[in-house]
Amino acid sequence: MGMWRRLNARRNWLVILKGLGYKGAHFGGINHRFDILAQILDRMDEIEDRWRDFVPEFDFPQKNGFYRYSRDTETGLCGTELSPSMSTISSGEKMLFGVYREVHRTFFSYDALFSSLYRKLCAKLEKRPFGYLVIKTLEDISKKILFSCRECGDCSLQHLAFFCPESQCPKHTRNGPCGGSSESRCEVNPDRPCVWFRAYRRWAAIGRPDKLYQGFIPPRNWELDGTSSWINFHLCKDHQGSPSLTAPTDHGRPPPG
Ligand code: SF4
């Protein structure tokens, strides 16, 4: 009986994920026979149109939790509205945020005035080990000082209001807060504010809190680990170069080809 209750809960969860747009899920565990899985898949087919009916079974928000999604009237998924007083940052931080955005727009936008020049330069540098080393060293030093960069090579700074998901989030989440934070504190390090909460405050301070709710940021591309994210961006090798990217972006669309 207990096993079937657990399997039913998993089936309902899988139906919700499918309804939300997930393309696949890992069904794991011991002692699962294929005929049981087949029954679950058959039943999923029967109930998938009613996936919203099962959302309340999984809606158990923690008090004062912070989520990427506000309460969605369509799906019923939970969230917490932040009070205006929680959305303020110092004028110095606001200015710094503005500088980061401007620099990013100038050097890391496919629409920037000199973007085709940057692209040609990066294509040349990639083929010259010494040139590559120079640019990589310059990138590492500056980004380590400013963002505690971990050299992942697939930079997501701009999606997180210029906080590094690799060094500032213990779970390295790139697509929104994990749901474990409480009172705006990190679940893993409660002595620190959740980095997504800090990002929310930056976007809210310029009147764009919606930036945190838009689109989808793909997982990190591990093949780029340790390489230059600057060069990867301009040569469309990182996630931003994908034409199917649906993340909120200020860097324009990648050039064709
Ligand atoms: S996201 Fe990656 S490249 Fe960007 S600052 Fe963090 S570790 Fe460095």
Side-chain angles (χ1 to χ4, degrees):
M1 189 68 186
M3 180 188 86
W4 280 108
R5 195 177 301 129
R6 281 198 302 277
L7 288 174
N8 284 343
R10 279 201 215 179
R11 178 205 62 204
N12 295 351
W13 182 234
L14 291 172
V15 162
I16 292 171
L17 292 178
K18 196 171 177 190
L20 287 172
Y22 279 68
K23 299 291 182 215
H26 175 83
F27 186 83
I30 54 171
N31 298 329
H32 290 331
R33 300 190 315 267
F34 181 74
D35 58 323
I36 293 177
L37 179 61
Q39 282 183 45
I40 289 175
L41 292 174
D42 288 345
R43 181 78 179 122
M44 279 177 67
D45 284 344
E46 288 169 24
I47 63 173
E48 68 179 14
D49 290 342
R50 296 190 287 113
W51 65 271
R52 288 183 180 81
D53 296 348
F54 303 103
V55 170
E57 290 178 25
F58 302 93
D59 188 7
F60 31 81
Q62 64 169 321
K63 196 166 181 295
N64 296 326
F66 174 52
Y67 301 85
R68 184 182 184 208
Y69 301 98
S70 57
R71 183 168 284 283
D72 185 323
T73 47
E74 193 185 352
T75 64
L77 288 173
C78 56
T80 299
E81 297 295 331
L82 299 181
S83 69
S85 65
M86 293 169 90
S87 308
T88 52
I89 57 175
S90 69
S91 51
E93 183 175 358
K94 195 168 175 181
M95 200 182 301
L96 185 67
F97 185 38
V99 171
Y100 287 154
R101 292 200 328 276
E102 208 44 58
V103 170
H104 194 266
R105 242 194 308 268
T106 306
F107 293 102
F108 300 100
S109 166
Y110 297 121
D111 295 338
L113 189 58
F114 300 112
S115 68
S116 57
L117 187 67
Y118 301 147
R119 197 175 183 205
K120 283 182 196 143
L121 189 64
C122 286
K124 285 195 174 141
L125 286 169
E126 198 190 32
K127 293 189 190 121
R128 292 175 171 75
F130 182 70
Y132 193 95
L133 184 67
V134 169
I135 205 80
K136 175 81 169 65
T137 306
L138 195 63
E139 175 182 344
D140 288 351
I141 292 173
S142 57
K143 284 171 73 176
K144 269 188 203 311
I145 291 171
L146 294 171
F147 309 111
S148 304
C149 172
R150 296 273 174 86
E151 301 174 46
C152 77
D154 189 6
C155 198
S156 254
L157 276 175
Q158 65 284 12
H159 304 311
L160 198 43
F162 297 96
F163 292 110
C164 169
E166 299 301 315
S167 63
Q168 303 303 307
C169 175
K171 299 181 186 177
H172 312 304
T173 62
R174 293 187 163 210
N175 207 22
C178 66
S181 62
S182 178
E183 304 279 3
S184 75
R185 315 301 294 180
C186 171
E187 180 181 31
V188 179
N189 300 311
D191 54 324
R192 292 191 347 203
C194 165
V195 69
W196 282 96
F197 173 69
R198 295 175 71 196
Y200 173 88
R201 286 202 310 187
R202 281 188 173 178
W203 287 120
I206 60 162
R208 295 300 311 272
D210 57 299
K211 284 274 190 183
L212 217 60
Y213 304 99
Q214 296 170 344
F216 154 72
I217 299 151
R220 166 184 175 184
N221 181 350
W222 278 87
E223 286 180 9
L224 300 177
D225 190 44
T227 59
S228 166
S229 73
W230 290 354
I231 290 181
N232 292 336
F233 170 78
H234 286 296
L235 298 186
C236 301
K237 289 183 169 184
D238 69 4
H239 70 279
Q240 298 162 101
S242 163
S244 60
L245 175 71
T246 61
T249 172
D250 292 325
H251 62 250
R253 285 287 154 198

